[in-house]
Amino acid sequence: MTFEEKHAGNGSQVGKSEPYLGKKHQASGKPVANGKAQVSVKQEANGKCDVPRKSLNVYSWQEIQRHNQEADLWLVINRKVYDVTGWVDRHPGGRRVLSHYAGEDATDVFRAMHLELDIVQLYLKPLLIGELAPEEPSQERNKNAQLVEDFRELRRTLETMKLFDAHLVFYSLHFIQILILEALAWLMLWYFGNGWPITICVSFLLTISQAQSAFLQHDIGHLSIFKKSKWNHLMHKFVMCHLKGLSTKWWNHRHFQHHIKPNVYPKDPDIDVGPLFLIGDLQPVKYGKKKIKYIDYEKQHLYFYLAGLPLLMPVYFNLQSMQVMYLQRYWGDIAWVSSFYIRYFITFGPFYGIFGTMLLIYFVKFLESPWITYVTQMSHIPMKMSEEENQDWFTTQVLATCNVEQSFFNDWFTGHLNFQIEHHLFPTMPRHNYHKVAPLVKSLCAKYGLQYVNKPLLKAFGDIVRTLKKSAALWMDAYYET
């Protein structure tokens, strides 16, 4: 099977032995006047590709950065230049993950988010169109090359220490904990009946089960447990769809955007919470100057307790998951999520009936919501939010995240997301190894003058509200400015 692409050049191309970008050379060496350079890529039926090095064009960063639109999207990975324009709709992590890095060096994010690199490389090879010119740096000139290299050396050290290998006993115990909580809830109803005191106890047991399922699916979704991606994907379907009733594809496409560009407007969907809330320093001023007042933002730190904490899971996440599954026709996820509701009707229907079981499901989501909201927002909302600054991977993650002090309870209560910095730097690392990595990350931060934020749990909770109040004050200043 032959894979052949033609790429039109509209800028400078650098190199001695390679043809100039704006010209296509025949065997005689004379340029053809169609203004296109051609790269032939032979793709064998077994997925292997043979791209002769001598056929690769070379590009400058100036040229690469011009291809930064969804309709014209280039990436640089390990000094190789890839045109992924035609691949974005097939990308398992969603098209926006790729478009957020258009025209940039994506080496570190590529390594961070993928597990089986040898398999991923098979998909990359047909997209290869060239490489950086020899005199060009390996990343954009605004990035600290030594910091980038030190971080990569740190990752190589961690790989040598086998800190990306999961302890299956740890995750098995975590999974057994969830099953015991679900079974205990049913046994209480079977033995004691469905009176109000028992129903409340059952609801709290199911709430703990749901929250711990959320943390487990988070690990599996990041390919942190099994060495093979397919087993992580299958287990992710079971935990996220069957145990929690939410779509894996919806979560993947949303969450991975957050990971690659945390707290970056408008690329991180987790900070796109307007018009209900205005967060950070930029969005409140923007709304204020435009005299936008959908809600009384002066009190957003107060109605966060009424609208943010209790409604994130049962309303926002649940409805968004259903909407995405339906509009995108994710039939596999729809079938798996249906099994969640079928399981609940079979298990709890005999005690509460259909309507009562639906009330139980959403009452549990209502109880779970503050737990998940606090854990997921405490590490990001108080941190720096900005528009795209094209910083290196390490700096981007450290500035947008913070940690919470370690303790047995904090580790359990947050699903080890109290080590948010380490998780963002190494998303595929099993969570039980974060504490081993933290001192090394902290040392690297100190070397380059980056603040490594680590705070008590209750202070982290309070910082969410204090940050909302600060953003509200910025909105007021801009709104009432004459």
Side-chain angles (χ1 to χ4, degrees), residues 80-98:
K80 302 298 184 192
V81 182
Y82 299 91
D83 182 353
V84 298
T85 309
W87 168 251
V88 289
D89 287 326
R90 291 179 289 158
H91 184 239
R95 62 180 296 120
R96 292 182 180 178
V97 172
L98 295 180

Side-chain angles (χ1 to χ4, degrees), residues 270-301:
D270 283 7
I271 62 174
D272 182 18
V273 291
L276 186 59
F277 295 99
L278 303 179
I279 57 178
D281 295 338
L282 301 179
Q283 191 181 38
V285 173
K286 178 181 177 181
Y287 270 57
K289 288 184 176 180
K290 292 184 177 181
K291 308 304 178 185
I292 298 176
K293 186 179 182 180
Y294 295 118
I295 305 174
D296 189 356
Y297 295 118
E298 301 171 41
K299 297 182 175 62
Q300 69 172 3
H301 60 291

Side-chain angles (χ1 to χ4, degrees), residues 352-367:
Y352 296 110
I354 295 177
F355 181 71
T357 301
M358 288 299 296
L359 287 179
L360 176 66
I361 290 172
Y362 283 92
F363 181 60
V364 169
K365 290 182 181 292
F366 175 82
L367 294 176

Side-chain angles (χ1 to χ4, degrees), residues 108-170:
D108 291 317
V109 63
F110 172 79
R111 185 66 190 90
M113 301 301 291
H114 295 98
L115 187 62
E116 298 175 281
L117 295 183
D118 53 341
I119 294 178
V120 180
Q121 288 289 349
L122 297 179
Y123 291 93
L124 276 179
K125 285 182 179 179
L127 309 175
L128 180 65
I129 61 170
E131 59 188 355
L132 287 171
E135 62 269 26
E136 290 289 324
S138 296
Q139 56 279 319
E140 299 90 320
R141 288 180 172 82
N142 63 294
K143 296 178 179 177
N144 186 331
Q146 188 57 53
L147 171 56
V148 172
E149 181 53 39
D150 283 352
F151 171 71
R152 292 175 183 174
E153 180 60 32
L154 171 61
R155 182 180 182 95
R156 288 190 288 268
T157 300
L158 301 180
E159 290 171 348
T160 302
M161 297 169 63
K162 298 189 179 300
L163 293 183
F164 288 89
D165 294 347
H167 295 161
L168 294 183
V169 173
F170 172 87

Side-chain angles (χ1 to χ4, degrees), residues 176-213:
I176 291 171
Q177 168 198 211
I178 294 168
L179 297 182
I180 289 175
L181 289 167
E182 297 258 351
L184 188 58
W186 182 85
L187 287 172
M188 287 185 67
L189 284 170
W190 175 76
Y191 189 80
F192 295 106
N194 61 353
W196 278 108
I198 298 302
T199 298
I200 292 173
C201 290
V202 165
S203 298
F204 276 104
L205 289 173
L206 293 176
T207 297
I208 298 172
S209 172
Q210 284 292 293
Q212 293 300 320
S213 295

Side-chain angles (χ1 to χ4, degrees), residues 10 48 55 76 83 94 98 149 200 221 240 282 356 389 393 414 433 443 447 462:
N10 57 2
K48 294 183 179 180
S55 71
V76 176
D83 182 353
L98 295 180
E149 181 53 39
I200 292 173
M240 185 60 158
L282 301 179
E389 296 179 349
W393 173 258
T414 65
N433 288 332
S443 176
K447 179 178 179 179

